[in-house]
Amino acid sequence: METAQAIIQMNHIVKKYGRQEVLKGVTLSVNKGDIYGLIGKNGAGKTTIFKILLGLSHASGGSLSITGSQTTKELRENRRKIGFFVGNSFYPYLTPQENLRYYAMVKKIPRKQIKDEINRVLEIVSLSGVKKPVKSFSLGMKQRLGIANAILGNPEILILDEPTNGLDPQGIADVRAMIHRFNEEFGMTVIVSSHILGELEHTADRFGIVNEGIVVREITQDDLKNKEQAIEIAVDDLERAKELLEAGGVKVLREIEEKSTLEDFYFRLIGGEEA
Ligand code: ADP
C-alpha cells in the first residue's frame, strides 16, 4: 500500500466552522518525491486542508501523519520540514531582503547563514539585486518572493497554495519550471493547488480532486491521460445533462450513479482545454 512510503497521510479529516462542515472527511496520501496537485474550485476546501497540514488550523476530527509522525509532538516537530506559500503578505515598506531576513529569523535559520540563504533563494526566483520596497512590486514579483520565502531553509516538503493565481502565461510557465526544479534538483516533495486543472496537468504526477470538502478522487498522471474516455458524473436532471454534454461534442457512453458534480466535469474540461 501507499501508506508505507507516504510522507503525508491524512485520514478522514473533518473541519467545522461553527455548524458548517467545510471538510467532510478528507483522506489523501502524498508520497516522498511526488509533485502532488490539489485541484478544486474556489471554496472546495484546499486552503483549509493546507492550514490543517501546517498546524495553522485545528482539525475537528480525523488523523494526520507527516514523515511518519506517531504522536502530536512528532507531528509538531515534523511540520518544521515544510516550507509554504499561502498568500504573499509581506511588509510593504521593506525590501525583499529585509522581508526574508525577518522570516529567516522566524524559521530559526542560523544567523551566519541568513545572508547567503537569502541570496540563494532570491537568485532562484530571479529577484536578485531588487532593492525596492515590496509595495512597488507587481503581482508576479510578489508571487515569486512568496515562493522564495517558501523555499528558505531548503525544506523537505513544499506547499504552494494557488501559486499561479493571477499570473500571465509566462508567469505560470516560470512557476511550473521552478516546481520541477525544486522537485528534481532539490529533491523536494511538492504539494501545489489550483482551481484550474490545466495549470497543473503538466506539472504534477498525482492529483487529488477536492469537491465540497471531500477528496473525491486521487488519480495519477496516467489516469489523467485517459480522462476524456472515463469521466463519471452524477446529475439531478439526466436528460438535460445529456443534451448539454452532447451539444458540447461529448459522447455519453453509459449512465451511472455516483456522487460527483457536473461542475467538476466542467472544470476538468475547461482546465484541460486551457493547458
Ligand atoms: P479553497 O482553498 O478550495 O478555495 P477554502 O479552504 O478556502 O477553499 O474554503 C472552504 C470553505 O470553508 C469555504 O466555504 C469557505 O467559505 C469556508 N471557510 C474558510 N475559512 C473559514 C473561516 N475562517 N470561517 C468560516 N468559514 C471558512
Side-chain angles (χ1 to χ4, degrees):
M1 288 290 290
E2 282 165 352
T3 319
Q5 13 150 244
I7 200 166
I8 287 173
Q9 182 67 49
M10 271 192 154
N11 286 319
H12 309 292
I13 291 285
V14 173
K15 176 66 189 178
K16 291 180 190 165
Y17 285 113
R19 281 196 205 149
Q20 197 199 353
E21 210 174 56
V22 299
L23 297 183
K24 299 169 185 162
V26 167
T27 295
L28 63 81
S29 62
V30 178
N31 297 330
K32 192 168 170 52
D34 271 353
I35 299 179
Y36 187 101
L38 203 57
I39 316 281
K41 61 189 173 184
N42 290 327
K46 304 178 297 294
T47 303
T48 309
I49 291 173
F50 286 155
K51 284 186 176 168
I52 288 171
L53 274 175
L54 296 167
L56 301 172
S57 178
H58 291 286
S60 318
S63 65
L64 167 64
S65 174
I66 296 174
T67 58
S69 64
Q70 302 279 345
T71 62
T72 313
K73 186 167 171 274
E74 283 172 7
L75 178 64
R76 208 178 307 130
E77 280 166 10
N78 293 357
R79 277 194 173 113
R80 293 206 203 114
K81 299 175 185 175
I82 306 179
F84 61 94
F85 168 86
V86 286
N88 45 29
S89 44
F90 292 101
Y91 294 99
Y93 293 99
L94 299 185
T95 64
Q97 291 80 5
E98 288 163 342
N99 268 289
L100 291 184
R101 198 171 303 135
Y102 168 77
Y103 287 107
M105 290 191 317
V106 171
K107 288 185 187 182
K108 298 197 171 76
I109 291 174
R111 201 168 275 271
K112 278 187 187 159
Q113 295 169 18
I114 288 181
K115 195 161 176 261
D116 285 349
E117 181 58 4
I118 290 175
N119 288 339
R120 184 185 76 91
V121 297
L122 286 176
E123 168 94 45
I124 290 169
V125 301
S126 311
L127 284 175
S128 294
V130 179
K131 297 271 159 48
K132 56 185 183 179
V134 169
K135 74 176 169 60
S136 61
F137 273 29
S138 67
L139 177 67
M141 289 168 81
K142 278 188 197 160
Q143 301 282 90
R144 296 213 302 273
L145 182 56
I147 292 171
N149 185 29
I151 60 166
L152 205 58
N154 202 20
E156 191 177 332
I157 303 169
L158 184 63
I159 287 179
L160 303 172
D161 192 10
E162 302 259 4
T164 54
N165 221 359
L167 297 185
D168 61 21
Q170 182 60 52
I172 293 171
D174 290 346
V175 170
R176 189 180 289 158
M178 277 189 241
I179 290 174
H180 281 296
R181 183 171 178 206
F182 299 154
N183 181 251
E184 286 157 25
E185 199 177 312
F186 305 160
M188 291 178 189
T189 301
V190 186
I191 313 171
V192 51
S193 71
S194 178
H195 59 281
I196 302 169
L197 177 63
E199 276 180 13
L200 295 185
E201 196 174 356
H202 303 294
T203 309
D205 338 293
R206 293 181 64 229
F207 302 86
I209 313 287
V210 194
N211 190 45
E212 295 179 4
I214 281 277
V215 173
V216 287
R217 185 165 297 183
E218 282 189 301
I219 55 173
T220 64
Q221 185 61 252
D222 285 345
D223 296 332
L224 200 61
K225 285 186 187 128
N226 301 320
K227 70 182 188 304
E228 284 86 359
Q229 282 77 42
I231 280 175
E232 297 171 3
I233 58 166
V235 292
D236 289 331
D237 185 345
L238 192 59
E239 285 314 309
R240 177 86 184 115
K242 274 168 73 177
E243 260 176 51
L244 285 171
L245 290 170
E246 280 164 0
V250 177
K251 207 168 168 185
V252 177
L253 299 173
R254 65 190 170 102
E255 297 160 16
I256 48 152
E257 279 182 30
E258 194 176 323
K259 194 162 168 18
S260 185
T261 67
L262 187 60
E263 270 180 336
D264 242 17
F265 175 71
Y266 167 79
F267 275 110
R268 285 185 187 190
L269 203 61
I270 296 296
E273 280 175 355
E274 275 188 2

